[in-house]
Amino acid sequence: MRPRTKALVAAGSGIAAGLAGLALTALPAGADDDPVLPPIDAEQLVTSTLAAQPPAFSGVAEMQNELGLPAVPGMEALDFESVRVFHDGEEGARVQVEREASELTFVKNTDEAWAYDSQENTAKRLTWDDADAAAARGHAEGEMADPAQAAAEIIERLRPTSDIFVDGTARVADRAAYELVLTPKPSEKTLLREITVAIDEETRVPLRFDMFANGRSEPVLSLGFVEFELGAQDAELFEFTPPEGAEVETTEADDVARAAGEHDAEGAEQRATTVGDGWDTVVIVEAPAAAPAEGSAESGQDLAAVLQQIGEPVTGEFGSGSHVQIAVGGAVITQDGRIAAGAVPLQVLVDALDQE
Amino acid sequence: MTTQGPMALPEADAVPSGVLPDRRRAPITRLLRAEVRWIFRRPRTLAVLGLLAALPVITGVAVDLTMDGQGASAPAGPGGGGPGGPGGEPPIFVTMATSAFVLPLGSLMTLLMLLLPLTVAMASGDALAGEQSHGAMRGWLLAPVARGRLLVVKAVGVLVVALAASALVVTSGLVTGLVLAGTDGLVSMSGTELSVADVLWRLAIAVAWATVYLMAVGAVALAISASTEHPMVVVVSVLGGLIVSGVLMQISALDWLHPYLLPTSVTSLVDLIRDPVSFDGLGEGAFRALCYLAIGMSLAYARITTRDG
């Protein structure tokens, strides 16, 4: 009998330990209590966030996407598993977007920025000269010269359409954070319920961004750190040398600015119009008939075609088109090639098109 | 013939009970040596190891021939891959699929889906059920070898197979890669060029990790092996389990179940191609494997200690 008991004990404890371990990996970490932090009002929080210098840190962010985006070409950028972020506290930053079998790597340091795609084995390099960099920095500093005023302005701009307040605290990536909440005023005809940003108490780094839609308790879009560690980072992380054989494309910041300027001029004729303001803004654009930039013309056409196929047909004074609905909004693509989109129900889109 | 090998040793060491206790035990190193020698004398072990060594070579050469210059990427995995990875995509991806870095890792990942677990399941099946079916188990069980020690010997035998098989795949891939591409293309997915030492270090981690993973499969296989006398049952159950897991992993409605499935871990080997390496996924995978190991070994122990000759 004794070996039998021993066997039962061995089997029982082994299985129990193994299953407990497996359950441990399956459980989401950190269902801790919300931390207790000194109270702060929204304006103070925004001010201090704007004033804060990003610290040196490394972190892992993950995205939960319940938007219900239709599977269309050009959306691959949203298809990733996790993002690793490194920051040296000054100019250097490194972001690695990890996909199942490839990676997008962005590296930025004082005088250049790189984007490397391992799937295509292509590297894009952006350089700027010191004068530009200094000017840009000066400009940014100028705008942010008084964070308190900047914060006040931002809040003032949001106030007519939104309620902005600090709603308690949260624990994100095992760090204590304030929850800054932005909700639409009842008069806003939007599908969004609220947007929350969790801001780290110590460093004022935004740790998590959640977007909630009406009638759902879980966020429809959540992008946030699951790991966040302060500390100096290896300087090598912020240098990039493209691997041998990679296609390298170099552009200068000046060229980009010029191209953007030209594009703006061109776009002026077919510029997007907006109807409404605040949360129920509807943006109406002419579907790009001419190529806005090389390469994207084809995908743009494809996109419109695909959207037309998967959408529900709608008709109104504006004519007819098809409506594509996602969790937080929708878009109407009309037969005559206009696209109206916003975080609003279909009726608002149709009204906006009728009004135009 | 199978009855001869490891059997001879414990029996040779059998001494009438009542003699000095330390003489009653056969030295475990001797048992282990005999077990390992016996495993590697089986033609099927050698055949499957040969196959494992050949597949990275075949993949490398095939990819090298079909790939014209750069641009070509994402070739299909080696033939042994079976019904695709958990993601449903071939797990080789990067442009330099024939490099001495990506080829061994890619081959290892693909083969971890089916062929490597099959090898380990075969060794586990032979270890207990096989001996039972030949009637050789009786000798073991009657010999003055504690049942626990018997299980340890058998488990170490499986461990050696797991280590040898994964090391062989990686070495074969490494050599093929060096022959095909030299030390070119030792590039991480993050676009950083890696030194040879760095690559070897990462490959060593991959071998160690794969061994732990395979040992988890082996432990479950040993538990089954201890409960049956048909080695075929062991192999079929393990393969069936892996295929069912693979199917379950495709069903996104069963998200909550995926952390409990052993093959969920395999894709985290990709992290070794990233720079800097993130050990989160690998650590979790190793932990998951250890959980399976605990379950499998305790069941095998329970079964073997209550077994009648």
Side-chain angles (χ1 to χ4, degrees), chain A residues 22-338:
Chain A
L22 287 176
L24 204 68
T25 63
L27 281 180
D32 311 329
D33 292 337
D34 292 344
V36 179
L37 298 173
I40 187 169
D41 71 29
E43 203 160 323
Q44 282 171 328
L45 185 58
V46 175
T47 307
S48 56
T49 304
L50 292 177
Q53 288 287 333
F57 72 90
S58 67
V60 181
E62 276 177 10
M63 183 164 83
Q64 247 113 49
N65 181 343
E66 305 287 333
L67 287 175
L69 286 175
V72 292
M75 292 291 184
E76 291 89 357
L78 288 175
D79 176 26
F80 60 83
E81 314 237 291
S82 63
V83 189
R84 285 202 282 163
V85 185
F86 304 87
H87 202 289
D88 70 355
E90 285 161 37
E91 299 279 311
R94 179 190 183 93
V95 176
Q96 294 178 214
V97 179
E98 301 187 346
R99 298 180 293 203
E100 190 169 10
S102 65
E103 192 172 288
L104 281 175
T105 309
F106 303 94
V107 178
K108 179 186 162 288
N109 52 39
T110 37
D111 49 20
E112 57 179 11
W114 285 93
Y116 176 75
D117 182 344
S118 77
Q119 192 140 29
E120 312 285 333
N121 198 20
T122 53
K124 292 202 176 73
R125 179 173 181 230
L126 180 67
T127 56
W128 51 85
D129 49 41
D130 289 344
D132 288 347
R137 222 172 293 140
H139 183 63
E141 270 165 22
E143 245 176 33
M144 284 294 152
D146 184 359
Q149 201 190 332
E153 260 171 44
I154 291 173
I155 289 177
E156 212 45 56
R157 218 173 299 151
L158 290 171
R159 209 154 256 164
T161 55
S162 326
D163 291 319
I164 179 165
F165 54 95
V166 178
D167 183 25
T169 59
R171 201 163 271 285
V172 181
D174 215 22
R175 294 183 65 84
Y178 289 109
E179 291 261 39
L180 185 69
V181 180
L182 200 64
T183 58
K185 290 248 157 85
S187 58
E188 301 289 300
K189 293 165 289 193
T190 176
L191 292 176
L192 287 171
R193 180 157 57 86
E194 68 175 46
I195 290 172
T196 65
V197 183
I199 294 171
D200 186 44
E201 191 258 332
E202 186 190 334
T203 61
R204 294 290 196 257
V205 173
L207 292 178
R208 190 177 61 198
F209 172 87
D210 291 307
M211 196 191 268
F212 294 84
N214 280 330
R216 298 206 197 190
S217 56
E218 295 294 307
V220 286
L221 183 73
S222 172
L223 176 65
F225 284 103
V226 289
E227 271 172 46
F228 186 89
E229 239 174 277
L230 292 176
Q233 301 299 315
D234 197 342
E236 267 176 41
L237 286 173
F238 307 106
E239 297 293 332
F240 187 84
T241 317
E244 225 174 292
E247 235 175 272
V248 181
E249 192 186 306
T250 306
T251 33
E252 275 193 40
D254 286 352
D255 298 346
V256 176
R258 208 170 304 128
E262 274 166 26
H263 185 225
D264 271 0
E266 227 173 72
E269 298 153 45
Q270 46 144 24
R271 193 176 30 208
T273 49
T274 58
V275 179
D277 65 345
W279 295 71
D280 48 18
T281 305
V282 174
V283 182
I284 302 176
V285 292
E286 301 284 326
E294 84 280 10
S296 64
E298 227 170 66
S299 62
Q301 297 286 9
D302 283 354
L303 189 70
V306 170
L307 287 176
Q308 218 139 45
Q309 269 177 16
I310 54 180
E312 305 247 325
V314 284
T315 49
E317 281 173 39
F318 65 89
S320 66
S322 66
H323 176 235
V324 179
Q325 171 93 46
I326 65 167
V328 293
V332 170
I333 301 98
T334 65
Q335 290 294 343
D336 56 7
R338 286 175 299 162

Side-chain angles (χ1 to χ4, degrees), chain B residues 47-296:
Chain B
V48 78
L49 288 180
L51 188 62
L52 286 173
L55 281 171
V57 181
I58 295 170
T59 319
V61 172
V63 172
D64 196 49
L65 289 179
T66 50
M67 201 167 63
D68 21 50
Q70 328 144 347
S73 63
E89 284 164 28
I92 309 185
F93 15 76
V94 201
T95 5
M96 287 301 287
T98 57
S99 79
F101 178 42
V102 174
L103 184 60
L105 274 175
S107 305
L108 185 66
M109 272 180 65
T110 316
L111 293 173
L112 269 180
M113 303 294 173
L114 228 43
L115 196 55
L116 281 168
L118 177 101
T119 310
V120 173
M122 199 179 77
S124 308
D126 282 332
L128 297 171
E131 303 231 335
Q132 176 84 349
S133 69
H134 290 126
M137 195 66 173
R138 181 177 289 268
W140 270 108
L141 296 180
L142 293 176
V145 177
R147 300 279 174 96
R149 270 153 64 85
L150 166 60
L151 184 62
V152 168
V153 170
K154 294 301 186 184
V156 171
V158 175
L159 177 69
V160 170
V161 172
L163 179 63
S166 32
L168 198 63
V169 169
V170 169
T171 314
S172 159
L174 177 67
V175 171
T176 311
L178 285 175
V179 169
L180 290 176
T183 51
D184 292 348
L186 302 181
V187 176
S188 74
M189 277 207 286
S190 318
T192 28
E193 304 219 15
L194 303 170
S195 68
V196 175
D198 204 8
V199 166
L200 291 179
W201 173 75
R202 287 167 190 237
L203 292 182
I205 293 177
V207 170
W209 191 91
T211 306
V212 174
Y213 176 85
L214 289 173
M215 206 44 219
V217 177
V220 175
L222 276 175
I224 304 167
S225 185
S227 324
T228 175
E229 54 183 67
H230 306 290
M232 186 61 89
V233 173
V234 180
V235 176
V236 169
S237 325
V238 168
L239 287 194
L242 287 171
I243 292 169
V244 170
S245 303
V247 171
L248 293 179
M249 284 181 342
Q250 305 285 339
I251 307 173
S252 52
L254 295 176
D255 269 347
W256 56 272
L257 186 69
H258 296 172
Y260 293 93
L261 302 174
L262 187 59
T264 305
S265 323
V266 175
T267 40
S268 56
L269 271 180
V270 181
D271 289 348
L272 284 174
I273 310 183
R274 306 188 195 278
D275 191 52
V277 180
S278 149
F279 287 100
D280 296 354
L282 287 168
E284 194 185 300
F287 181 73
R288 185 176 294 125
L290 290 178
C291 293
Y292 268 84
L293 191 74
I295 295 174

